[in-house]
Amino acid sequence: MGDVLASTLHMQATDNPAEADVLLVNTCSVREKAESKVFSLLGEWRLLKEQHPHLIIGVGGCVASQEGETLVRAAPQVDLVFGPQTVHRLPEMIADVRRQGRSVVDVSFPEIEKFDSLPAPRAEGPTAFLSIMEGCSKYCSFCVVPYTRGDEISRPFESVMREVHELAAQGVREITLLGQNVNAYAGPMDDGVCVDLATLIHHVAAVQGVERIRFTTSHPLEFDDSLIEAYANVPKLANHLHLPVQSGSDRVLAAMKRGYTALEFKARIRQLRQVRPDISVTSDFIVGFPGETDRDHEATMRLVRELDIDQSFSFLYSRRPGTPAAGLSDDVPHAEKQARLAALQQLLEDNATRRNQSMVGSRQRILVERTSRKDERELAGRTEDNRWVNFPIPAGVDPQQLLGRFLEVEITEAKRHSLRGRCVGAADTDG
Ligand code: SAM
């Protein structure tokens, strides 16, 4: 169960389904694979329910919002179905199921009500995610998000800032501003004037204790000059940008209804690199969109090479019923799509490895987040460009004292997906 779900419910979370009174699965319907995993999990939970008839099974998130009542008909073991916008109503819904003894479905879009009733922020460590907007109004031809999550809606500015202050007071040092299109943020202030993401970043950076800011996920259409200005003038804004491009071919970008060309995307990244020359840029890619040719694919590979795109997400196109692209005919063989995906992933991996290697010998400022997963004599933290660094606990130092601190670490070795280093000193800016 996620942090928000656990605190919304005032219940103790458990990872063991056999000992739970309520089993919830939060779903994503962006790709078909995620959706089919949900149904196989529900099959396993049906067996548990046969042994414990009072067990309550709930499905939330995008699959829930897409399927609604149909989900209960397809899987009668499900007692409640809640959408991304109705998470906060869960306690009442569970009470209703117990009282009425029948399933409850609420996948409506009560918009702003959701932000009003999210639980008080509770930090679990030195980093936190803060949801500042929801939904998407871009209607890309491949994507279900506008239909499952509704149009873009921003959380009011004062409410975001209140939460930033509360998180900082709880010791949070790094905040990731979250939203499906986070750079479409237009948060109303009390006087009705709207604040954009760049302005919000300036305000968050002014909060004492917050030392590092990230935001995800952005859309290239709204990656404008104000954000480049923020990268130029806000040192607390991490040296990393995740900006999904999806394809490097103008023909495919137009069919996807992305609203920009490859050249426009490249120009934006080059402008950004004028103010942050060594910034890591990562992206999302969809391979095998209907009608994608070898030439289109080569354009994507070229974009990755030219912009030196770092570790990224790449997916095979997944046809989503109800989206405009679902009706497009597609004669590209599956094996060909997989070969293209493999080639793209190899190229991205090569770029990431080269960047890892180039960091050996450099000094990086990392935020210590936890004990290393593989060795408890080591600590782990992330660099500005989101790379994990494991390093030995310095002799004679209590590791608990280092959690949540910024340290300067010299990188000694590049692994495939992480780095190793040694601590060379403190790197907090506020003592
Ligand atoms: N703001 C992002 C953007 O600019 O598009 C959207 C993030 S989306 C929720 C996460 C990623 O899932 C997308 O960037 C895309 O690469 C992938 N995705 C979405 N729909 C997909 C589909 N039908 N098939 C394959 N991948 C998909």
Side-chain angles (χ1 to χ4, degrees):
M1 195 172 356
D3 290 350
V4 171
L5 286 184
S7 47
T8 301
L9 288 172
H10 302 292
M11 282 183 173
Q12 205 191 332
T14 170
D15 290 332
N16 180 2
E19 64 183 30
D21 300 314
V22 177
L23 285 171
L24 298 177
V25 53
N26 209 0
T27 63
C28 169
S29 60
V30 166
R31 285 172 299 282
E32 195 180 1
K33 207 163 154 190
E35 208 175 296
S36 43
K37 273 195 197 152
V38 174
F39 284 96
S40 84
L41 183 67
L42 288 176
E44 289 169 28
W45 288 0
R46 183 170 51 81
L47 303 178
L48 285 175
K49 191 158 177 157
E50 281 167 11
Q51 290 158 17
H52 308 284
H54 295 297
L55 182 64
I56 291 183
I57 297 182
V59 181
C62 296
V63 172
S65 124
Q66 207 170 26
E67 306 276 327
E69 297 277 352
T70 326
L71 207 138
V72 180
R73 280 197 291 275
Q77 69 273 36
V78 172
D79 299 293
L80 51 96
V81 181
F82 56 100
Q85 316 282 352
T86 49
V87 177
H88 60 285
R89 293 183 180 167
L90 261 178
E92 290 159 48
M93 292 172 74
I94 291 179
D96 285 349
V97 170
R98 287 196 173 125
R99 210 173 28 242
Q100 301 168 4
R102 62 181 170 79
S103 42
V104 173
V105 176
D106 185 353
V107 292
S108 55
F109 289 144
E111 304 206 323
I112 210 70
E113 185 194 308
K114 175 187 165 187
F115 289 130
D116 287 348
S117 38
L118 283 176
R122 202 177 36 140
E124 297 281 349
T127 63
F129 289 103
L130 201 168
S131 182
I132 64 166
M133 61 83 65
E134 267 273 334
C136 182
S137 308
K138 302 292 181 289
Y139 293 88
C140 299
S141 64
F142 55 82
C143 190
V144 287
V145 170
Y147 314 102
T148 54
R149 300 233 156 194
D151 275 323
E152 287 159 2
I153 170 107
S154 296
R155 185 169 174 182
F157 170 74
E158 273 87 5
S159 151
V160 172
M161 289 309 297
R162 211 173 309 123
E163 190 160 331
V164 172
H165 282 282
E166 286 171 33
L167 290 170
Q170 292 175 38
V172 166
R173 317 299 308 279
E174 175 184 303
I175 291 184
T176 303
L177 304 172
L178 272 190
Q180 259 97 33
N181 274 322
V182 75
N183 55 336
Y185 180 73
M189 295 202 287
D190 286 344
D191 61 8
V193 174
C194 281
V195 171
D196 66 7
L197 179 65
T199 311
L200 178 66
I201 288 171
H202 278 276
H203 282 269
V204 176
V207 174
Q208 210 191 350
V210 177
E211 284 297 309
R212 199 183 259 177
I213 303 166
R214 303 181 188 274
F215 59 89
T216 197
T217 301
S218 313
H219 191 290
L221 259 190
E222 277 143 341
F223 189 79
D224 59 13
D225 289 347
S226 67
L227 279 170
I228 296 189
E229 180 281 330
Y231 274 106
N233 295 317
V234 182
K236 290 182 182 180
L237 189 53
N239 208 23
H240 172 215
L241 168 68
H242 183 74
L243 195 61
V245 64
Q246 314 300 358
S247 170
S249 151
D250 289 345
R251 217 178 57 82
V252 174
L253 288 171
M256 289 177 165
K257 298 215 171 357
R258 294 291 291 176
Y260 53 84
T261 62
L263 191 61
E264 282 163 345
F265 184 87
K266 290 177 195 174
R268 281 273 101 171
I269 301 301
R270 287 181 180 133
Q271 267 173 303
L272 173 66
R273 285 198 168 132
Q274 280 170 10
V275 301
R276 290 276 186 112
D278 57 348
I279 192 167
S280 152
V281 177
T282 59
S283 196
D284 290 350
F285 296 88
I286 296 179
V287 170
F289 188 77
E292 183 193 68
T293 61
D294 268 341
R295 233 181 127 140
D296 295 320
H297 172 66
E298 192 36 53
T300 302
M301 300 287 278
R302 206 161 46 238
L303 179 138
V304 171
R305 275 188 220 106
E306 285 176 15
L307 296 179
D308 197 11
I309 301 287
D310 199 2
Q311 45 198 358
S312 293
F313 298 105
S314 43
F315 314 102
L316 268 193
Y317 168 72
S318 164
R319 188 181 158 276
R320 305 286 54 219
T323 57
L328 296 178
S329 71
D330 183 20
D331 49 13
V332 185
H334 186 69
E336 190 141 323
K337 292 179 183 173
Q338 278 192 310
R340 285 181 196 158
L341 182 65
L344 175 63
Q345 289 181 336
Q346 186 60 56
L347 177 59
L348 289 162
E349 177 96 15
D350 290 348
N351 283 357
T353 305
R354 206 170 42 250
R355 191 173 168 106
N356 274 358
Q357 282 162 351
S358 76
M359 288 166 96
V360 174
S362 72
R363 289 186 172 195
Q364 301 290 327
R365 182 169 176 259
I366 66 155
L367 172 58
V368 184
E369 290 182 40
R370 52 173 166 77
T371 317
S372 164
R373 294 239 155 91
K374 290 204 181 120
D375 185 343
E376 61 186 25
R377 292 163 305 173
E378 298 201 335
L379 290 169
R382 276 176 305 150
T383 60
E384 286 213 18
D385 65 1
N386 219 11
R387 288 170 149 73
W388 280 101
V389 184
N390 295 296
F391 62 99
I393 298 166
V397 177
D398 173 3
Q400 290 303 320
Q401 299 297 317
L402 293 181
L403 294 175
R405 296 276 309 272
F406 282 91
L407 296 182
E408 190 160 75
V409 164
E410 185 182 297
I411 305 302
T412 51
E413 191 185 343
K415 303 267 210 185
R416 239 163 96 86
H417 295 123
S418 65
L419 301 165
R420 291 191 55 74
R422 69 181 179 90
C423 175
V424 289
D428 295 299
T429 51
D430 57 358

